[in-house]
Amino acid sequence: MSNLSRRNALSLGVALGLVGAASVVPAWASTTATDPWWVWDDEVDRLMAGVLDTGGVPAVNTALRSWVDNADPLPAGLPADVAAWLQGANRLPSWADPAKLRRAADFNRRKDTYLFLLYGLGSGIMSTVIPREARSVYWSAGGAAMQDRAAKTFTFGYDLSEARAFEPSGQFVVTANKTRLVHAAVRHLLPQSPHWRAVADERVPISNGDILVTFHSLGTFVHRKLKEWHVPMSAADEDAFLHQWQVAIHLLGVRDEFIPKTWAEADTQSAQVLTPLLAPTPEGKELAADLLGLTAQIDLGVTRGFLNEFVRYVLSNEVGDWLGLPRDYAAATLIRTGWPAYIAFREGLLPIAPAGFYLFDQFIRALAMLFLNKGTSSTSTPITIPTGNRPGA
């Protein structure tokens, strides 16, 4: 689809998690001449529209099932044009720094407990108060199967955090390219939903700007919380963590000119295009209830009140009020006093484990396991291209 035809299309939104602005998109915090809100993924969009329109998605999904590791050859059975596109896309950018990526992998290993919590309860629940994201996810196929969708979303972050994520034996490069195919498919499918069109307020789905906003709800948010919690990080660790995300969003199709060069630049962008636009929606409230309700399927060792208060602690009481999360003041007190002590002990700043250490430790690890392939703990969750939207949409 050409840029001109996109601009003349009916109001379109974004789907499957890579969105992030409310009704009015502010000016982008960038010195570049091009606006990322008007940059998409034209070539892969055209390819996936053709696959969908000819009924070829099941065959493509079957072919992609065996394609897992970065070093795996492209599978047979793909349409020639899709295979040719993947052959060119399935590689790291020339500017990727192997030493920084290895350091990021080590950083992820050392801080995995905090990352599980912040990606899961922080970024995951934040997505439900990003209006366009909440509405688009709700009306897409994934919105009707939130545990499966949560598992697949978690897998994206899990593959990114793996020790060899970007190396031949890792999986993230393949995961990113599969995700890019899914986004292109959703861009073709979701505008066909009259329910979604009735609430959509963006003319073009999943622009580079939208992907960057989601990066801010993930990487920028996590970096900021780690600093707020006084988690020890060297300057080299912080730089490596940013570089990992720079490579990741490049692999999702973001132009290099839009990718933040420093955490200061990322914080500036986030303050302009994410934080002021967070707001509740009916769709988001239902999605949050679904996500938090998943914990009833596995023993996290805590009460629902504890879970609700941890969401409030990580995101704010305002977000908790938007989502209608009942208060549990005893749990809130335990978290406010126990979590800083938990971090201090894990980082070697306290000689004796504080009260509640085991509770926090088991809670976070169980939360991670919940989303890894529906709690059955697999090394990966299959990413499949959808063939439709939410049933009935």
Side-chain angles (χ1 to χ4, degrees):
M1 183 184 295
S2 69
N3 289 355
L4 179 61
S5 62
R6 287 182 187 276
R7 290 181 175 88
N8 290 335
L10 292 173
S11 175
L12 305 178
V14 272
L16 205 60
L18 289 184
V19 296
S23 298
V24 178
V25 177
W28 188 258
S30 174
T31 58
T32 60
T34 307
D35 188 337
W37 299 113
W38 294 95
V39 175
W40 301 275
D41 214 350
D42 293 340
E43 184 178 1
V44 68
D45 285 356
R46 176 181 56 78
L47 294 174
M48 292 313 300
V51 171
L52 282 158
D53 290 344
T54 57
V57 169
V60 170
N61 280 333
T62 298
L64 291 177
R65 195 172 299 137
S66 63
W67 190 44
V68 178
D69 292 344
N70 297 335
D72 288 346
L74 285 176
L78 292 173
D81 54 359
V82 174
W85 180 82
L86 285 172
Q87 193 69 50
N90 194 49
R91 64 187 64 175
L92 294 177
S94 61
W95 47 263
D97 185 328
K100 287 185 179 181
L101 293 176
R102 285 193 294 270
R103 188 177 188 103
D106 182 63
F107 176 78
N108 292 332
R109 177 189 60 81
R110 288 182 280 119
K111 309 301 180 184
D112 62 351
T113 299
Y114 317 127
L115 297 180
F116 280 138
L117 174 69
L118 289 170
Y119 286 142
L121 279 190
S123 302
I125 301 302
M126 187 194 297
S127 71
T128 70
V129 293
I130 299 175
R132 285 182 176 172
E133 179 164 357
R135 290 165 178 152
S136 297
V137 168
Y138 183 85
W139 292 111
S140 70
M146 282 305 293
Q147 183 164 352
D148 180 66
R149 183 184 183 279
K152 292 174 180 177
T153 302
F154 195 93
T155 295
F156 184 90
Y158 183 81
D159 288 350
L160 175 62
S161 299
E162 275 285 82
R164 297 174 300 279
F166 296 94
E167 297 178 15
S169 59
Q171 299 180 0
F172 183 77
V173 180
V174 169
T175 294
N177 278 287
K178 288 183 178 181
T179 302
R180 199 167 167 184
L181 294 177
V182 170
H183 294 158
V186 173
R187 281 193 289 262
H188 187 65
L189 290 169
L190 199 57
Q192 300 175 33
S193 165
H195 300 278
W196 181 78
R197 290 199 306 269
V199 296
D201 60 6
E202 187 176 26
R203 295 173 59 193
V204 182
I206 316 179
S207 69
N208 271 205
D210 295 318
I211 297 173
L212 283 161
V213 167
T214 293
F215 154 68
H216 292 311
S217 76
L218 290 159
T220 306
F221 165 75
V222 168
H223 176 255
R224 184 170 63 250
K225 294 302 292 188
L226 291 176
K227 291 181 75 69
E228 287 178 6
W229 289 348
H230 304 292
V231 175
M233 296 182 290
S234 68
D237 285 341
E238 293 183 62
D239 187 46
F241 186 63
L242 174 61
H243 188 67
Q244 162 199 270
W245 273 104
Q246 290 169 328
V247 175
I249 55 182
H250 167 93
L251 291 173
L252 289 176
V254 175
R255 288 186 185 177
D256 291 350
E257 65 190 279
F258 301 135
I259 298 175
K261 304 300 187 294
T262 64
W263 281 122
E265 184 180 342
D267 286 333
T268 298
Q269 289 183 356
S270 180
Q272 288 189 310
V273 301
L274 173 64
T275 308
L277 303 176
L278 299 176
T281 62
E283 293 89 349
K285 290 179 181 178
E286 186 169 335
L287 293 176
D290 288 346
L291 285 170
L292 293 172
L294 294 177
T295 59
Q297 301 178 31
I298 190 170
D299 181 13
L300 300 184
V302 301
T303 65
R304 176 61 184 269
F306 182 94
L307 181 65
N308 290 345
E309 290 297 337
F310 226 122
V311 171
R312 288 176 175 273
Y313 181 74
V314 171
L315 292 180
S316 77
N317 280 326
E318 183 177 30
V319 171
D321 291 344
W322 287 346
L323 297 176
L325 303 182
R327 298 305 309 260
D328 184 328
Y329 293 103
T333 299
L334 172 62
I335 293 165
R336 284 197 307 271
T337 58
W339 182 247
Y342 172 83
I343 292 175
F345 178 74
R346 281 189 58 88
E347 298 299 328
L349 303 177
L350 284 180
I352 301 174
F357 175 85
Y358 181 77
L359 172 66
F360 286 114
D361 210 47
Q362 291 302 108
F363 165 60
I364 295 168
R365 296 190 182 280
L367 182 71
M369 295 297 290
L370 171 67
F371 293 120
L372 281 177
N373 208 18
K374 304 182 182 179
T376 61
S377 182
S378 172
T379 56
S380 64
T381 298
I383 296 176
T384 55
I385 300 167
T387 57
N389 297 312
R390 186 184 184 95

